Amino acid sequence: MKIYYHPASTTSRSVMLFVAESGIAAEMQLVDLFTGEHVKPPYAAVNPSQLVPTLEDGDFRLSESSAILKYLADKVDSPAYPKELRQRARVNERMDWINTQLCRDLAYGFVYPQILPTHKRSSDAVQAATLAWGKERAQRWLQVLDQNLIGKHAYLCGDQITIADYFGAPFVALGEAVRCDYAACPNVKRWIGSMKQLKSWKKVNEAIDGYVATLKDSKLETI
């Protein structure tokens, strides 16, 4: 089994973290996003969307980190993806919510336009409007995450870690790249603190942490 990835990719880190924590045997194939390897024909033939991660298991290929996490969890019979109908539905719901709400506005609408040149908007006015919209929306989703999804629980779906936590935590931690400290969201801050205690967290995130360190003198909008 092979997983195409890049360590600076948030979606890759979700999969990397689960693989490492679960002891899954997989060949990790680096796709160098910074040299444009992902848009060149060899990788485009693997994943026509030209994105990472991609899983290859024999003659079966699967893209999208949420789907990959579910596949891997079922393949190794992980308790992090419960089989009971309603518990599994809750995990699916949380992962869809991260994908369609928080990730869209916090990552793509607020963080990435500030830290990735390829996501910066075409003019100062468009950039400012993008960040204002992303910030307002992300603040709303963070409050929902804090008060309604996590609340008094330890994790996103209750008191046991699930693949929803592996999927969501790297996106929320990404906010720290623009100096979000989540002081206004104590449950989120507690949850992220718990996820950072996983034995593989530091290793999995060392590439993005190194990149973020280069931004220490940059002027950034935060939440």
Side-chain angles (χ1 to χ4, degrees):
M1 186 163 59
K2 181 186 293 186
I3 297 171
Y4 297 86
Y5 80 108
H6 191 281
S9 157
T10 312
T11 50
S12 290
R13 293 198 309 279
S14 295
V15 174
M16 291 166 63
L17 186 63
F18 182 69
V19 166
E21 289 292 312
S22 303
I24 296 172
E27 176 188 351
M28 303 300 291
Q29 177 66 51
L30 178 70
V31 178
D32 194 340
L33 304 181
F34 293 108
T35 63
E37 184 180 355
H38 58 301
V39 300
K40 294 176 182 176
Y43 185 68
V46 172
N47 184 340
S49 295
Q50 302 174 351
L51 299 170
V52 289
T54 301
L55 178 142
E56 196 171 70
D57 191 5
D59 60 358
F60 178 69
R61 284 179 178 156
L62 188 66
S63 63
E64 302 301 324
S65 54
S66 177
I68 292 170
L69 283 169
K70 295 179 179 96
Y71 179 86
L72 289 173
D74 272 340
K75 188 175 179 70
V76 301
D77 198 25
S78 172
Y81 194 31
K83 291 182 171 56
E84 193 277 327
L85 179 63
R86 293 186 178 184
Q87 291 177 357
R88 177 164 285 208
R90 182 65 72 207
V91 172
N92 293 339
E93 176 200 45
R94 296 293 196 254
M95 295 176 80
D96 284 352
W97 184 89
I98 292 288
N99 235 347
T100 58
Q101 312 302 343
L102 187 67
C103 168
R104 178 186 59 192
D105 292 315
L106 177 62
Y108 287 91
F110 189 66
V111 177
Y112 290 156
Q114 297 191 75
I115 70 170
L116 299 177
T118 53
H119 285 259
K120 187 175 182 180
R121 300 314 194 251
S122 57
S123 71
D124 290 345
V126 176
Q127 176 80 351
T130 297
L131 297 184
W133 173 264
K135 181 174 182 175
E136 179 183 358
R137 301 279 292 178
Q139 285 175 318
R140 178 191 173 195
W141 301 132
L142 286 167
Q143 285 299 315
V144 172
L145 178 63
D146 187 77
Q147 297 299 314
N148 303 103
L149 304 191
I150 299 175
K152 295 180 180 179
H153 295 294
Y155 297 102
L156 276 176
C157 300
D159 293 323
Q160 300 297 323
I161 194 169
T162 69
I163 56 172
D165 300 289
Y166 289 102
F167 183 63
F171 282 111
V172 177
L174 183 67
E176 295 173 352
V178 294
R179 303 172 195 138
C180 298
D181 66 4
Y182 299 124
C185 301
N187 296 320
V188 170
K189 191 167 185 173
R190 170 177 53 80
W191 168 63
I192 287 294
S194 296
M195 293 301 293
K196 287 183 176 182
Q197 296 304 307
L198 294 175
K199 65 181 185 299
S200 306
W201 180 276
K202 185 174 181 179
K203 178 67 175 176
V204 165
N205 288 278
E206 63 182 1
I208 189 64
D209 289 344
Y211 178 70
V212 168
T214 69
L215 305 173
K216 62 183 179 64
D217 297 323
S218 300
K219 184 178 179 181
L220 299 167
E221 289 282 332
T222 192
I223 293 175

